[in-house]
Amino acid sequence: MLFFALLAMAACRTPQDIAYLQDVKEYEEIPTPHDGYIRFKKGDKMQINVHSRDEKMRELFNIKSTNSAGGTQNGQSYTVGADGTIDFPVLGKITVEGLTREEVGASIKGMLVNTDLCRDAIVNVTFTDMTFSVLGNAGTGVKQITKDRITIMEALAMGDLNIDGLRKNILVMRQEGDKQVAYRVDVTQAKSVYSSPVYYIQQNDVIYVEPNDKFKRNSTVMGSTAFTPTFWISMGTLAMSLVLMFVK
């Protein structure tokens, strides 16, 4: 009877590796990285729109194009070159590598105003085709970056982890210079999340959520049979039958 009671308790036990941020205490203050803004890298694309009361200036710096919804939009697309610059009309090459979206806009506006080209210029910069990827036991796919900062928790929330996703060992691969660097994050522990170098996601990051042991066993033929209460109850019943047989 004790044996079967222990089996029942094991079957009803709540897993300890499912809940997020388990170590957070009420009113606890946890420091987070101070920056985390998306900064342009070589090969990134952006769209720049210059607003002005002067129609000729608007036509000079903006080219009408068709967006994904089929409508027209003003603005010119640019790709950051191997030298970290974009080639802007009239102004020529402008260094944008390492700058945020707002910093690029402010830099171009300053040049237009200081050269008297467009003294009332308002410059808007938006990300174009900037993404990160999620693989494994989560809401997989290529995700668009549409704002200046995205945390790893927000990235995972775009699809959320499957119940069988391993939360204690999430892998983030990041391109740093000419090499890929691997980071591990345990999202069940707040200190692991908020102190991680990948707390803020960058463009082209790859997030991989590994399946837990239960999922791995279930993926094989009869792989999880030996770990189920039914299996052990059956084995116990068989053992008791054999004992009774020999006792008689």
Side-chain angles (χ1 to χ4, degrees):
M1 292 297 293
L2 178 61
F3 174 75
F4 289 121
L6 291 173
L7 283 177
M9 291 175 63
C12 297
R13 182 170 57 88
T14 302
Q16 298 299 311
D17 57 354
I18 299 299
Y20 296 94
L21 309 178
Q22 297 176 26
D23 59 337
V24 173
K25 299 177 182 178
E26 189 175 12
Y27 304 120
E28 181 180 7
E29 295 183 358
I30 304 175
T32 59
H34 66 282
D35 195 339
Y37 285 93
I38 299 292
R39 296 180 180 276
F40 287 106
K41 300 178 181 180
K42 297 179 179 68
D44 285 343
K45 295 181 180 180
M46 70 184 76
Q47 182 168 321
I48 301 175
N49 193 349
V50 178
H51 297 269
S52 172
R53 290 190 296 268
D54 190 328
E55 183 177 353
K56 291 183 178 180
M57 289 296 101
R58 294 198 304 269
E59 293 178 352
L60 175 63
F61 297 114
N62 303 315
I63 298 177
K64 289 186 177 181
S65 59
T66 303
N67 58 28
S68 58
T72 59
Q73 57 187 15
N74 290 326
Q76 174 65 31
S77 294
Y78 300 88
T79 300
V80 183
D83 59 353
T85 69
I86 59 172
D87 194 1
F88 198 79
V90 183
L91 297 178
K93 288 193 173 184
I94 301 173
T95 299
V96 297
E97 184 180 14
L99 300 182
T100 66
R101 186 177 57 85
E102 289 188 356
E103 287 171 344
V104 172
S107 176
I108 294 175
K109 177 179 178 179
M111 294 179 186
L112 292 174
V113 172
N114 292 336
T115 56
D116 287 331
L117 282 172
C118 187
R119 298 193 63 83
D120 66 341
I122 299 176
V123 182
N124 291 329
V125 181
T126 55
F127 300 129
T128 303
D129 298 330
M130 191 174 287
T131 63
F132 65 92
S133 302
V134 181
L135 305 173
N137 284 48
T140 58
V142 177
K143 313 294 184 180
Q144 293 287 332
I145 295 176
T146 58
K147 61 179 185 176
D148 296 310
R149 296 198 296 181
I150 300 176
T151 70
I152 189 171
M153 301 301 283
E154 290 176 309
L156 293 172
M158 291 181 180
D160 202 11
L161 278 69
N162 297 340
I163 194 67
D164 292 320
L166 186 61
R167 287 152 168 74
K168 292 189 174 184
N169 197 32
I170 293 177
L171 172 66
V172 179
M173 297 297 299
R174 173 170 293 174
Q175 184 74 32
E176 296 184 1
D178 58 352
K179 58 186 177 182
Q180 285 277 333
V181 180
Y183 295 93
R184 297 280 182 176
V185 182
D186 179 358
V187 296
T188 69
Q189 301 297 310
K191 292 180 181 178
S192 173
V193 174
Y194 295 112
S195 64
S196 173
V198 293
Y199 173 66
Y200 287 111
I201 296 300
Q202 294 183 8
Q203 63 270 46
N204 304 319
D205 279 357
V206 177
I207 304 172
Y208 172 64
V209 180
E210 181 183 353
N212 60 20
D213 290 339
K214 177 183 176 183
F215 184 90
K216 293 176 183 177
R217 291 194 299 267
N218 289 341
S219 65
T220 62
V221 178
M222 301 296 289
S224 61
T225 301
F227 295 89
T228 62
T230 303
F231 172 82
W232 289 107
I233 291 173
S234 300
M235 292 299 294
T237 303
L238 176 61
M240 291 179 66
S241 299
L242 292 174
V243 170
L244 293 174
M245 182 183 302
F246 285 107
V247 169
K248 291 180 179 179

